[in-house]
Amino acid sequence: MPTVLASVHRHWRHVALSTSTLWSSLSMSLEQVVRCKVGSDADAYTTFLDVQRLAAHIARSRNSPVDILIDTRDPEWDFEEEEECSSHNAATFFQYATFIPQILDLLFPQMHRWRSLTILSDTWAPLRVALERLSVPTLIKGSGAPCLETLILMRCNEFVGHSDVFSPRAQHVFDGIPFAALTGAPHHDIFAQSHPLPKLRNLTLVGVHLNWTHLSRYTLGVALNEPLSYVSSCIQSLELSQHCREVRPTVDEFTGILKACPLLRKLVIRVSGPKFDAGVQCSDRPVSLPLLEEIHLGYTNVEDAAMLLSHVHAPNLISLSIEDANHIASPDIEDSGPLLTYLATGFLDLCDISTEAGLNHGVCTYYLATSKDSVAKTPFPHLERLSLNGVAACLIPFSLLMAVIPKLRHLSLSRTPNALLALLPIQTPFADASTRTIPCRALESIEIFCIEEQTKNLLEFVQREREQSGAPRVCNIDIHLEVSSADTGEEIEGYQIIEDDMVENQPAYGEWVPDEHDPFAPGGVFNDPDFDEAYHYLS
């Protein structure tokens, strides 16, 4: 864009070249990789990196803080990746990885101006090369990235997180001090660094693993062992996603990372988090995060998800999003009842609740199962926003949760049956027969994704029952349907159909046209032996 502005006429060019902030976005992608033919051989080509635009932006941005994007994603990538690749030839396997050192060599002299650094890749090789380069300590004191606020490294392949082992297999160990070059500590003093990245606020690691102990101790170590009142700066937004089980942090490593972020406000854990091996118990001293307001949790194991939340003390949490992130081809439906029960009671062992004789009997059973000496208390009593995606459970756990979050104002549901019925008024045990408790009385909006048309009738029934018991009507309701193009823009008796995914006479979910190839047959979408072997889905 600044190049376009500078090309309009002389005055605009003068203004553009005089405004350094216009040139503060430094990006490199595959568009800058040039492939040229060499000699007369039809198959002889060479590739090189065109850095003219990057160099021009660096010069014209002068002393302004810069935002860096290195995007090595290949739209023609076929999901293949070298399984056994030594560190010596890691860069040569993925042709674009060889350009990472060249790019960083141009950027390192400007490190004192870095405001954000984002590196995206389909495969591990470019990220491995970048991590190695970023983790080499400097030779002299005083360099580093003191203005860095955001650090994002993403391996854009969601399949890797569902595997038990890391791929490429030979590179699952990454040692050293993460991002030592950014901290500015000299090589001989790296372990004594006390204030490594003073302005770092946002850290995102997707499919990228590190030495987790060194990350918390030396890279995020500014807040360790200091009273909260003395901490002026540290990570406020942390995301750990898509890590296969082999490279996930241990429980101690994970809690160490959280302890290094006492001012954390947003936490995203999706197909990642600590490894809860056999024998790990609920923490009686969870990590205190009093400023944490938002948690996004995508889990593949319900018990692990509940255990993870038990290690976090966030009494002021406002927004919670939980998602069943199991692979789309997984044959089993994860019962999320234990997780919902923990969210409602704070108990990890209160999961076997009878569901006989309907809703009221189940809730009574819960009250009777709770002794007088044990006090059920939701860990997040101040929730105002709740999002449930693919959360499958019987009605009772949903009812238990809705009954203990009276401040809830916004509810979003996607592929989550039974949650709507949990909003119905319930008979309070041992109370007068005419007394009914209204869950989530402060509810203001409901958003529902990917539902069938009859859900509207259920919603109307719930609304009517709540109003008859004295609850205010929920006025803001959005129903997102997969509809045919002919139905777009129509209303279902007062509810607007929102166009999300247009389909033309598609079969119902879980069905396929008989004449088409069976997706579960050999070679089908969900039975590709080569793909399954590459990502360890076949035993």
Side-chain angles (χ1 to χ4, degrees):
M1 178 59 71
T3 305
V4 175
L5 294 176
S7 303
V8 175
H9 52 67
R10 182 179 299 176
H11 176 66
W12 279 40
R13 180 174 179 80
H14 173 74
V15 172
L17 294 179
S18 301
T19 309
S20 61
T21 54
L22 286 177
W23 308 89
S24 61
S25 295
L26 311 180
S27 64
M28 291 295 293
S29 67
L30 299 189
E31 294 180 357
Q32 281 74 54
V33 176
V34 180
R35 189 166 183 256
C36 297
K37 187 176 179 181
V38 177
S40 59
D41 189 347
D43 297 327
Y45 287 90
T46 184
T47 57
F48 66 91
L49 187 67
D50 183 0
V51 297
Q52 291 186 359
R53 190 181 71 172
L54 176 61
H57 276 62
I58 290 175
R60 293 169 180 175
S61 61
R62 292 191 288 277
N63 294 321
S64 297
V66 293
D67 301 303
I68 301 168
L69 169 63
I70 302 175
D71 187 355
T72 67
R73 292 175 297 176
D74 186 353
E76 298 181 358
W77 178 52
D78 58 2
F79 285 86
E80 291 187 1
E81 186 163 6
E82 183 70 25
E83 288 299 318
E84 295 296 332
C85 180
S86 65
S87 59
H88 175 71
N89 61 9
T92 58
F93 168 69
F94 187 71
Q95 57 177 323
Y96 303 113
T98 59
F99 299 126
I100 296 295
Q102 183 180 353
I103 297 173
L104 293 178
D105 285 342
L106 283 172
L107 295 171
F108 268 32
Q110 313 300 323
M111 189 181 293
H112 63 282
R113 297 197 287 132
W114 291 10
R115 180 169 53 194
S116 67
L117 173 63
T118 301
I119 303 178
L120 311 177
S121 177
D122 300 308
T123 58
W124 177 242
L127 291 165
R128 171 82 184 197
V129 174
L131 282 172
E132 291 176 346
R133 187 70 174 84
L134 292 169
S135 299
V136 176
T138 60
L139 297 177
I140 58 174
K141 188 175 182 179
S143 56
C147 297
L148 189 66
E149 300 176 3
T150 300
L151 182 57
I152 301 174
L153 281 80
M154 296 182 64
R155 184 180 181 184
C156 305
N157 178 1
E158 291 194 358
F159 296 107
V160 297
H162 294 278
S163 176
D164 288 332
V165 297
F166 182 78
S167 175
R169 188 70 188 92
Q171 299 186 38
H172 70 285
V173 176
F174 185 86
D175 213 342
I177 307 299
F179 313 115
L182 304 180
T183 64
H187 188 280
H188 61 84
D189 198 33
I190 183 64
F191 294 102
Q193 181 73 7
S194 58
H195 295 278
L197 294 167
K199 290 191 175 182
L200 188 62
R201 299 292 180 270
N202 310 294
L203 176 62
T204 297
L205 299 173
V206 178
V208 175
H209 65 283
L210 307 168
N211 184 314
W212 302 112
T213 300
H214 287 173
L215 174 69
S216 60
R217 185 172 300 173
Y218 304 119
T219 309
L220 308 178
V222 60
L224 286 177
N225 302 319
E226 291 188 15
L228 186 60
S229 58
Y230 292 173
V231 179
S232 59
S233 62
C234 67
I235 296 293
Q236 296 183 6
S237 176
L238 174 66
E239 176 177 356
L240 302 177
S241 295
Q242 301 302 333
H243 294 111
C244 69
R245 184 172 180 81
E246 183 180 25
V247 299
R248 293 179 187 177
T250 64
V251 175
D252 290 340
E253 289 171 337
F254 180 74
T255 56
I257 293 173
L258 294 184
K259 288 178 180 178
C261 308
L263 303 183
L264 195 65
R265 295 183 177 273
K266 179 179 179 180
L267 177 63
V268 179
I269 305 291
R270 190 174 190 277
V271 196
S272 184
K275 295 181 289 188
F276 291 104
D277 298 321
V280 177
Q281 302 295 325
C282 174
S283 175
D284 56 352
R285 297 185 63 182
V287 180
S288 178
L289 298 172
L291 301 183
L292 187 60
E293 298 178 342
E294 186 176 352
I295 291 180
H296 296 260
L297 178 59
Y299 57 88
T300 55
N301 181 280
V302 169
E303 287 75 16
D304 284 355
M307 186 71 76
L308 185 153
L309 292 177
S310 74
H311 284 71
V312 177
H313 177 59
N316 298 311
L317 194 74
I318 295 176
S319 177
L320 175 63
S321 174
I322 60 177
E323 171 192 5
D324 184 341
N326 277 287
H327 190 268
I328 189 173
S330 176
D332 301 321
I333 298 178
E334 191 83 6
D335 179 11
S336 301
L339 175 58
L340 296 172
T341 302
Y342 171 77
L343 291 173
T345 66
F347 297 147
L348 288 173
D349 53 355
L350 188 62
C351 302
D352 300 326
I353 305 175
S354 173
T355 59
E356 298 178 2
L359 170 66
N360 290 342
H361 175 80
V363 175
C364 289
T365 302
Y366 156 71
Y367 278 102
L368 293 174
T370 307
S371 68
K372 295 181 180 179
D373 296 331
S374 59
V375 179
K377 183 179 181 181
T378 175
F380 310 124
H382 300 295
L383 273 186
E384 296 183 7
R385 307 183 71 92
L386 177 62
S387 175
L388 305 175
N389 187 353
V391 179
C394 67
L395 180 56
I396 293 174
F398 285 108
S399 299
L400 293 175
L401 176 59
M402 298 301 178
V404 295
I405 46 176
K407 297 182 179 181
L408 189 70
R409 297 168 53 228
H410 307 285
L411 177 63
S412 177
L413 304 174
S414 177
R415 299 180 294 111
T416 302
N418 294 328
L420 267 181
L421 284 175
L423 296 174
L424 285 170
I426 61 174
Q427 177 66 48
T428 304
F430 315 116
D432 184 82
S434 61
T435 303
R436 296 204 298 174
T437 301
I438 303 174
C440 309
R441 192 182 185 95
L443 197 61
E444 297 176 359
S445 68
I446 299 176
E447 189 174 26
I448 306 175
F449 293 85
C450 302
I451 63 170
E452 297 181 354
E453 186 174 333
Q454 55 263 35
T455 303
K456 185 270 303 181
N457 299 324
L458 176 61
L459 182 59
E460 284 290 350
F461 170 71
V462 172
Q463 283 270 65
R464 184 168 59 252
E465 289 294 312
R466 288 172 60 87
E467 290 177 18
Q468 290 177 356
S469 298
R473 185 174 183 82
V474 180
C475 298
N476 299 321
I477 297 178
D478 289 331
I479 300 178
H480 301 254
L481 291 170
E482 287 189 348
V483 296
S484 65
S485 57
D487 297 330
T488 304
E490 295 183 0
E491 291 189 353
I492 303 179
E493 298 185 17
Y495 294 94
Q496 180 71 32
I497 300 177
I498 299 177
E499 178 184 357
D500 276 350
D501 297 316
M502 299 292 296
V503 294
E504 292 285 350
N505 300 320
Q506 278 192 339
Y509 177 77
E511 299 179 352
W512 56 86
V513 180
D515 293 338
E516 292 184 354
H517 190 66
D518 184 347
F520 290 95
V525 175
F526 296 129
N527 193 350
D528 185 340
D530 294 335
F531 185 89
D532 293 340
E533 183 179 2
Y535 291 101
H536 307 282
Y537 290 130
L538 295 181
S539 57

